[in-house]
Amino acid sequence: MIVTNGWFDRRSQQGKERIIWFPRIFYRMEQGTVFLMVENTMGRYQSQFLTLQQKVETGILCELMGIEVGERYIRYRFLYQLERCRIRIEQVLCQKGSLLLMEGVEWKFDKQPHALIVGGTGGGKTFLILTLIESLLKAGAEVIVLDPKRADLSDLGQVIPQVYSKKEEMISKVIQFYFDMLDTYDRYKHMEGYYTGCNYRAVGLSPHFLVFDEYVAFMDMLGYSTADKIMTYLRKIAMLGRQVGYFLILACQRPDAKYFADGMRDQFHLRIALGRNSEMGYSMVFGSEVKKTFLNRDIPGRGYVDRNLGIVHEFYAPYVPEGYDFLAQMKKLGFCSTTPILQEDLWTLERGAEEELRLSERTQRILMDMGIYSDSLERQKDVRLEESSSLLPDDRNDEAGYENSIFVRETERSLKSLRESFHLTQSECAKKLGISRQRLSDYESGRGLSQEVEDRLRSQMEKWCD
């Protein structure tokens, strides 16, 4: 490479050409990592030695993982045959604010908040999102899923709460997520363990993730005014959410600049482009200032990643074996059968019901200002709950599934009729119970409700007769 490109000095003497200076280059290879060290002479070839990765990456098919410019040497670190660093979905681990994506590649969302995932059809984007959701749920994170396509992600509504596909619901959840973040700021400063500069984990709070699939396609469906307001909320979440544990995961096929305006794209510290993309597509994800030769290969789940380290390198999403059942795996987490009730912290027990009721009213006022009326939202919500109930097991050959579906329908009548016997609205009843109206609505419809939870609910409501 040095000789071919002529990166050395020579002189002709007496008809013979002599090399008078040759750069000092050292390299070693260790467990698939190539270390390259080039002398820093500040000579005529300084610019070439500072961008050596452009030659090495395509020459030996490796990926730059780090560069350090020292006083005497420029040190490079490359990974050779990065495909060997791919891990299986069972190895994906989320702990202490970090999510393992590959061997040696972690998403430290506490320090590198918010993720942007881009990929066309067949690139592996949906499997990567499902993998992230499953790992985050296992770690105890709160996850809200928005899927305007009503495709694979919407199926998660059968096994986990907080999955939405209707336009009105999705808009309201974005707004609610923003106000929840602001209210978390108010209360976490008064919690035990807080100190200036700490984050949500120091006070024992769980992270919250808003997973928004086909973000750009959804924004195209909205009017200009509504889309602009939604972008404003998302931009504020992206700027303020990290410290209190509110994170965004946006996925789309093409990140058009009009929906990532005012520097919003720069707030996404994890950016992944999967599958085949054009040069323009890569520049829209990683920025036009990135100088890299992107190679497209027909490997599902393969792409490129930028973790806000100034380096874009090859990426392989965790391998998902054929036939892997995400719904079955997430069902084991027990959201439908063991969702706890009344386990909010002390602040929520004392102030939470009034605050959540006020928050809901505030959100609905904003929706009304945007032209999305609250009565329309309630009708859409009722339809969604009916649809989710119809998806519950009802096969008489499956005894457990059949009994569960019967239990849901009986519970829906009993809890609702019990509440109505006290002449209470859902909001009034939720306030007395110390939970949100949305949660009570889900319980009355059987979502996230077990026999133990129902008994505790009925016991509290029956005490009002005393």
Side-chain angles (χ1 to χ4, degrees), residues 85-94 99-102 126-136 138 316-327 329-330:
C85 297
R86 189 173 196 174
I87 62 176
R88 296 177 61 87
I89 187 172
E90 296 87 358
Q91 298 173 278
V92 178
L93 182 63
C94 179
L99 185 64
L100 181 65
L101 300 175
M102 292 177 58
T126 299
F127 273 23
L128 175 59
I129 296 173
L130 288 169
T131 300
L132 295 179
I133 292 174
E134 180 181 327
S135 302
L136 292 171
K138 287 180 178 178
Y316 289 89
Y319 175 72
V320 179
E322 185 177 354
Y324 186 87
D325 192 341
F326 282 98
L327 296 186
Q329 294 298 320
M330 294 188 197

Side-chain angles (χ1 to χ4, degrees), residues 29-34 79-88 91 102-103 314 316:
M29 186 170 180
E30 181 178 311
Q31 296 181 350
T33 303
V34 178
L79 275 182
Y80 181 65
Q81 294 183 346
L82 202 62
E83 189 173 358
R84 298 184 302 177
C85 297
R86 189 173 196 174
I87 62 176
R88 296 177 61 87
Q91 298 173 278
M102 292 177 58
E103 289 185 9
E314 192 177 28
Y316 289 89

Side-chain angles (χ1 to χ4, degrees), residues 37-239:
M37 191 164 61
V38 184
E39 185 179 16
N40 187 358
T41 62
M42 295 183 292
R44 70 171 73 180
Y45 307 113
Q46 179 82 351
S47 59
Q48 288 89 334
F49 293 149
L50 285 173
T51 57
L52 204 58
Q53 69 272 16
Q54 297 179 12
K55 297 284 186 180
V56 177
E57 284 184 333
T58 55
I60 62 175
L61 295 179
C62 61
E63 290 291 328
L64 177 68
M65 301 302 291
I67 179 172
E68 178 185 348
V69 180
E71 183 177 350
R72 295 186 58 192
Y73 288 94
I74 304 169
R75 297 175 175 84
Y76 292 89
R77 181 168 60 91
F78 299 92
L79 275 182
Y80 181 65
Q81 294 183 346
L82 202 62
E83 189 173 358
R84 298 184 302 177
C85 297
R86 189 173 196 174
I87 62 176
R88 296 177 61 87
I89 187 172
E90 296 87 358
Q91 298 173 278
V92 178
L93 182 63
C94 179
Q95 59 181 3
K96 296 182 179 180
S98 180
L99 185 64
L100 181 65
L101 300 175
M102 292 177 58
E103 289 185 9
V105 178
E106 292 180 282
W107 177 28
K108 299 180 180 179
F109 51 81
D110 275 6
K111 299 179 180 179
Q112 303 158 348
H114 317 302
L116 174 62
I117 303 174
V118 177
T121 303
K125 174 166 59 71
T126 299
F127 273 23
L128 175 59
I129 296 173
L130 288 169
T131 300
L132 295 179
I133 292 174
E134 180 181 327
S135 302
L136 292 171
L137 290 173
K138 287 180 178 178
E142 297 286 337
V143 180
I144 299 175
V145 180
L146 308 181
D147 181 15
K149 292 193 309 181
R150 305 182 189 179
D152 294 332
L153 295 187
S154 65
D155 293 342
L156 298 179
Q158 302 176 46
V159 293
I160 65 173
Q162 302 274 52
V163 180
Y164 305 94
S165 298
K166 303 292 177 61
K167 182 180 73 172
E168 292 83 358
E169 292 176 335
M170 295 173 65
I171 292 175
S172 68
K173 284 302 168 183
V174 172
I175 299 172
Q176 189 81 22
F177 195 76
Y178 167 72
F179 285 121
D180 285 346
M181 177 193 70
L182 295 184
D183 290 332
T184 302
Y185 261 109
D186 292 337
R187 66 188 177 102
Y188 105 110
K189 289 187 177 182
H190 303 286
M191 298 179 70
E192 183 179 356
Y194 170 79
Y195 59 90
T196 301
C198 74
N199 66 10
Y200 66 97
R201 287 198 299 120
V203 296
L205 294 176
S206 299
H208 293 68
F209 288 83
L210 181 67
V211 182
F212 203 146
D213 192 19
E214 297 298 344
Y215 163 70
V216 172
F218 177 74
M219 299 296 282
D220 281 335
M221 296 164 51
L222 305 177
Y224 174 79
S225 177
T226 302
D228 185 64
K229 291 179 180 178
I230 294 300
M231 279 192 294
T232 299
Y233 287 114
L234 291 175
R235 184 164 57 249
K236 291 179 180 179
I237 294 170
M239 290 189 296

